[in-house]
Amino acid sequence: ELQGGQAQAAVHMHPGPGGEGGHVREPDEVPGPRGPEHVELDRGLEGPGLADEMGHRGIGLPRFDLGEVPLMENTMESIEAGRAAARLRWIEIDAGVTSDGVVIVHHFQKTLYEDCDAEGPELVVAESTYDEVVERSEELGLPAPPRLVDVLSEYRRSRYGLQLGFQIEMKQGTDYALGRYCNRAAATGDDDAMACDRRAHGDDPLVAALADATERSGFGNDRIIISSFEAPRLYNFRRTSLNSFVLKLVGGKAEGVDGLERIATRYLGQRAAVSLPLQFATGERVADLRSRGIGVEIGMASAGHCLLNNAVKSVDKLKREREKLTRQIEQAVAAGPDHICSDFSREIRVQKKRMERRERTRRNREASQGGIMEDSRVK
């Protein structure tokens, strides 16, 4: 199947959560060990992006209108606060899967609450049922991670006015070292990266369960983005899912624009996007990527992920570094990305409005001056 990177299109069945079957589409072309670039990206994206604010693991920051009450990250409460209080149109959440195939909204790589000084034995999520996850959360006095199907079901309905979209990161089991290796291999045209090929085609419980859950969610292709630090894992999702969601690679900053384009054509398909840290997301680089049909997110996450949705540390950072943060936000918005994923989502919205007012004032002033000059010439 992998000779020359080509394969015949095929349809087969895979067991979904709870043993239910689901159709899975094999794409027409797969990244083989000696395969060339396999897809043509969509036409270039014209003009700057909208820089839509995306709440990092929920509401983002600041939360002054909520009395600075910290909220658990990746909870229904945090998501609803992002929608209602911060008026976000996009929320970034993380995903893991339990031993009985339930996809949960949960950040940590392996255990229920890593590095959070919780008393008692840590619970390995992939080896535990959802009921066991709920029970352990109750023992810790913390809200249990919600099921992804419940989150998507709640926000599928249009009664909220704004159509909320979700970026779902495949967090559990991420191999960051392999991700960096595969990025370099794809960017440089290394065709002998068999470990990457195994990751792209191997069994992955989270990929299978997430593909099943999103297919059943009723969300349209334009309201879900699937992200990962591993490009081959995104390809694995792409070949497994019937949907055509945007696939977003987080990281890849060291590969440059040409390298990112090679990664996109090899693994991500026609609806490709990347997430870059602010220091790498210059306006020129963002525009170049978008001109090649690759969507761009700028990541501006703050600090910490233990329990409280970055709230305490991020509020403190906002107070201490407001002037610096304002400059960073202006830089990010001016770069023209599609999204800015941040713990400072509401601050970004406020700053965007300030920048828009300044731009309108400038245009009005130029128009007014032009009119005066034209009148003087007429006279």
Side-chain angles (χ1 to χ4, degrees), residues 72-73 106-108 111-120 122 136 140 142 304-309:
M72 270 285 285
E73 65 185 22
H106 179 253
H107 176 267
F108 299 114
T111 57
L112 185 57
Y113 290 115
E114 296 173 12
D115 305 321
C116 292
D117 300 323
E119 296 182 0
E122 282 285 11
R136 178 57 176 154
L140 295 171
L142 298 169
H305 57 254
C306 180
L307 302 182
L308 294 179
N309 197 16

Side-chain angles (χ1 to χ4, degrees), residues 270-293:
Q270 291 186 336
R271 306 195 73 199
V274 295
S275 176
L276 299 175
L278 180 62
Q279 61 267 34
F280 287 90
T282 63
E284 181 180 1
R285 183 170 295 170
V286 170
D288 195 354
L289 284 166
R290 296 188 83 254
S291 72
R292 303 180 190 213

Side-chain angles (χ1 to χ4, degrees), residues 54 56 275-279 281 297-303 310 314 317 324-333 337 339-345 347-348:
M54 180 182 290
H56 184 230
S275 176
L276 299 175
L278 180 62
Q279 61 267 34
E297 167 198 301
I298 293 178
M300 293 182 63
S302 176
N310 302 327
S314 296
K317 179 178 180 179
K324 176 182 177 182
L325 180 62
T326 298
R327 292 196 303 270
Q328 291 176 336
I329 291 173
E330 287 187 347
Q331 177 185 341
V333 174
H339 298 103
I340 301 175
C341 183
S342 172
D343 301 312
F344 306 101
S345 306
E347 189 75 1
I348 291 171

Side-chain angles (χ1 to χ4, degrees), residues 116-334:
C116 292
D117 300 323
E119 296 182 0
E122 282 285 11
L123 194 72
V124 179
V125 172
E127 299 174 2
S128 308
T129 66
Y130 183 66
D131 287 343
E132 290 171 335
V133 168
V134 172
E135 182 180 355
R136 178 57 176 154
S137 298
E138 291 174 350
E139 290 175 357
L140 295 171
L142 298 169
R147 301 189 309 165
L148 178 65
V149 65
D150 294 332
V151 172
L152 297 182
S153 176
E154 176 69 15
Y155 290 99
R156 183 180 64 236
R157 291 167 287 186
S158 60
R159 64 186 175 90
Y160 293 100
L162 288 175
Q163 294 286 313
L164 193 64
F166 288 94
Q167 178 167 302
I168 306 170
E169 182 182 335
M170 295 187 287
K171 176 64 70 174
Q172 186 186 74
T174 298
D175 188 331
Y176 295 97
L178 180 62
R180 291 190 294 269
Y181 169 72
C182 295
N183 285 345
R184 290 194 298 270
T188 59
D190 180 0
D191 292 330
D192 294 321
M194 297 305 296
C196 306
D197 192 67
R198 287 193 296 270
R199 186 61 157 162
H201 295 275
D203 292 334
D204 190 320
L206 177 56
V207 166
L210 182 59
D212 186 83
T214 50
E215 285 168 16
R216 297 170 186 272
S217 70
F219 265 60
N221 286 336
D222 293 328
R223 291 179 60 200
I224 287 182
I225 298 169
I226 304 296
S227 68
S228 174
F229 281 83
E230 296 183 70
R233 201 177 199 188
L234 288 167
Y235 179 86
N236 205 337
F237 181 90
R238 174 182 156 215
R239 77 181 186 87
T240 303
S241 175
L242 288 170
N243 293 92
S244 298
F245 300 131
V246 171
L247 301 181
K248 181 179 291 183
L249 175 65
V250 184
K253 58 184 180 291
E255 279 64 48
V257 173
D258 291 339
L260 288 171
E261 184 177 26
R262 294 189 189 100
I263 294 169
T265 57
R266 185 174 180 86
Y267 289 116
L268 307 186
Q270 291 186 336
R271 306 195 73 199
V274 295
S275 176
L276 299 175
L278 180 62
Q279 61 267 34
F280 287 90
T282 63
E284 181 180 1
R285 183 170 295 170
V286 170
D288 195 354
L289 284 166
R290 296 188 83 254
S291 72
R292 303 180 190 213
I294 302 173
V296 180
E297 167 198 301
I298 293 178
M300 293 182 63
S302 176
H305 57 254
C306 180
L307 302 182
L308 294 179
N309 197 16
N310 302 327
V312 176
K313 290 183 179 180
S314 296
V315 169
D316 182 59
K317 179 178 180 179
L318 184 62
K319 290 178 178 178
R320 288 185 288 104
E321 304 181 16
R322 180 179 291 275
E323 184 176 342
K324 176 182 177 182
L325 180 62
T326 298
R327 292 196 303 270
Q328 291 176 336
I329 291 173
E330 287 187 347
Q331 177 185 341
V333 174

